[in-house]
Amino acid sequence: MKILVCPLNGPRNISEFVYGGEAVGTMDPETASDGDWADYVFGAGTESGVVREWWFHVPTAYWFIAERHTGTDEVLRTYPASEVFGPRGEAGDGA
């Protein structure tokens, strides 16, 4: 059984969670070059290494961030999204 540590609820079975995609900063499609926009949309998540991801704990409807190594699938840490994003989803200093 795989366990994921929810920052709100502690260690839980992975079946209680839904993956929400990579937590990346946003890019403005109006000001980005075509090449930069294509890399942003299609190139994310193609390299092995540590990524920041959105995860959702279904029973409590709680969204949080997990840092996971894509090569080993090891979750290095989990924490509330407020450590990275402001109240309206704007990236803070940590993004």
Side-chain angles (χ1 to χ4, degrees):
M1 168 183 353
K2 187 168 184 177
I3 301 294
L4 183 61
V5 179
C6 175
L8 182 65
N9 302 290
R12 310 297 299 175
N13 188 307
I14 194 75
S15 66
E16 295 185 14
F17 299 91
V18 174
Y19 171 73
E22 194 171 340
V24 295
T26 58
M27 180 178 282
D28 184 356
E30 300 298 321
T31 60
S33 71
D34 289 345
D36 288 343
W37 183 248
D39 286 344
Y40 174 75
V41 173
F42 300 110
T46 59
E47 298 172 6
S48 180
V50 177
V51 294
R52 209 182 272 170
E53 302 172 326
W54 285 106
W55 283 86
F56 180 71
H57 185 240
V58 176
T60 58
Y62 180 71
W63 284 98
F64 63 95
I65 304 289
E67 290 181 4
R68 183 177 66 87
H69 193 285
T70 59
T72 63
D73 198 32
E74 177 186 3
V75 176
L76 305 172
R77 72 176 250 206
T78 59
Y79 49 92
S82 61
E83 287 188 20
V84 178
F85 297 96
R88 301 177 132 230
E90 295 107 9
D93 293 336

